[in-house]
Amino acid sequence: MTQEHITRVGIVAKTGLVAAADHLHRLARWLRDRQRHVVFETETASLPGDTGGAPTYSRDALPAEVDLVVVMGGDGTLLSMATRTAHSGRDVPILGVNFGSLGFLTETRIDELYTVLESVLNGTAIFDERAMLAADAYRAREHFDSRIVLNDVVFTKAALSRIIELSVSVGSGLVMKVKADGLIIATATGSTAYNLAAGGPIIHPRADA
């Protein structure tokens, strides 16, 4: 993606992140100075006070309206926007700015924001592509849920169950049968999340696994 392709930039902050208010106002002004249109997520727009008349959209609708999403918060905020972006059907890059205590995905610090954004707008930034999981859930052969996720899909026992029996196959090949309290299917990106906490292996984000 090059400079001329990014004309509309969406800004999303963690819900209630008052600490980001001044940064949001400054970021919007910085983008307008570079002839970029600014679009705020609806709840985020209430944080800086004056949005300069920028249009607002819900988190679900925003990815369809912009060419780049800037997320200010922690990994949870980025993960939720990654899912919404996937559902939009558009290939929109996300820049994560860390306002949380831990950020594997929101790795850009606030003091690096404008240097990184400059490289994105001038076409010198390197975009890191990550695989996602699409999951459909069925109960008694009846479909009841669909998800697209960046981290993981978890099958777990019900509140009153002690254990469940699982048969795991890849394609038509049986991998294993196991009695356990659940199963985590993680992307390479998600290998450092719930998978790691459960003792699973860490996979490089670019691995096809």
Side-chain angles (χ1 to χ4, degrees):
M1 184 170 290
T2 57
Q3 179 180 7
E4 59 269 19
H5 291 124
I6 298 178
T7 60
R8 292 169 63 85
V9 180
I11 302 176
V12 181
K14 179 180 178 180
T15 301
L17 187 61
V18 178
D22 289 342
H23 296 287
L24 295 169
H25 181 75
R26 193 177 308 130
L27 173 59
R29 187 172 61 238
W30 187 91
L31 288 166
R32 291 190 184 102
D33 288 345
R34 285 152 184 80
Q35 287 72 56
R36 296 313 193 274
H37 298 288
V38 176
V39 180
F40 276 100
E41 182 271 328
T42 305
E43 291 183 6
T44 303
S46 67
L47 294 174
D50 179 16
T51 61
T56 63
Y57 292 91
S58 68
R59 292 183 186 231
D60 290 330
L62 183 74
E65 305 295 332
V66 298
D67 308 306
L68 170 72
V69 177
V70 177
V71 173
M72 291 188 172
D75 285 356
T77 310
L78 188 146
L79 288 169
S80 70
M81 286 310 301
T83 292
R84 289 174 166 90
T85 300
H87 278 294
S88 76
R90 298 187 65 234
D91 189 14
V92 180
I94 301 174
L95 173 61
V97 183
N98 187 14
F99 264 87
S101 58
L102 182 64
F104 280 104
L105 302 174
T106 49
E107 60 183 27
T108 300
R109 301 193 311 269
I110 190 64
D111 60 326
E112 301 172 322
L113 172 59
Y114 298 104
T115 301
V116 173
L117 259 180
E118 193 68 63
S119 69
V120 172
L121 297 184
N122 67 27
T124 61
I126 297 174
F127 291 83
D128 190 11
E129 294 188 1
R130 300 290 182 96
M132 299 183 74
L133 282 175
D136 290 285
Y138 295 82
R139 183 180 289 126
R141 298 184 182 275
E142 184 176 341
H143 182 267
F144 70 91
D145 200 3
S146 293
R147 301 292 176 98
I148 302 176
V149 298
L150 180 56
N151 261 9
D152 48 43
V153 173
V154 180
F155 297 89
T156 188
K157 63 185 178 65
L160 299 179
S161 303
R162 286 188 174 183
I163 205 165
I164 53 179
E165 294 186 18
L166 297 163
S167 295
V168 182
S169 299
V170 175
S172 59
L174 178 67
V175 175
M176 64 178 179
K177 292 185 177 181
V178 64
K179 293 181 179 180
D181 60 1
L183 172 69
I184 303 167
I185 302 173
T187 63
T189 299
S191 69
T192 56
Y194 195 2
N195 166 74
L196 177 60
I202 297 177
I203 307 297
H204 192 280
R206 293 181 183 173
D208 183 17

